[in-house]
Amino acid sequence: MATAGHDRPAAGESGSLVTACGRRIAVRGLRLPPAGRPIRRIALDVGRDQGDEPGVWAALTADEARDLARLLLTQAALAERGTEPGAPVRPGTQV
């Protein structure tokens, strides 16, 4: 099994990761079988922290999951460059 970062499974290998502060974030497909037409969502489950504080979860549509992915990737790029959120981006720089 390949690892990334702090001996964590690479994205997509396990469907979850553990953050540096100890929370497990799991991403799974969710299917609700109502009469007529099934409802499909992407479930994002942020587990308890190291102090045993309860976590949260959200069920996202495919479009919402894509929008969240874009926001996360944008913030990751800014963090890697040390750029503050909301700061102007230099022309020609990809975010």
Side-chain angles (χ1 to χ4, degrees), residues 24-54:
R24 178 172 300 279
I25 301 175
V27 180
R28 296 181 181 86
L30 175 65
R31 184 173 181 261
L32 304 172
R37 192 176 97 209
I39 297 172
R40 289 182 169 81
R41 296 287 186 266
I42 295 84
L44 179 66
D45 181 5
V46 179
R48 294 183 174 274
D49 71 4
Q50 291 176 338
D52 211 26
E53 289 293 319

Side-chain angles (χ1 to χ4, degrees), residues 48-94:
R48 294 183 174 274
D49 71 4
Q50 291 176 338
D52 211 26
E53 289 293 319
V56 296
W57 70 274
L60 308 171
T61 64
D63 284 341
E64 292 166 341
R66 286 184 194 97
D67 289 344
L68 177 59
R70 278 191 218 58
L71 292 170
L72 289 168
L73 289 169
T74 297
Q75 291 302 314
L78 292 171
E80 287 177 338
R81 287 198 306 262
T83 307
E84 292 295 319
V89 178
R90 292 178 298 190
T93 303
Q94 289 187 342

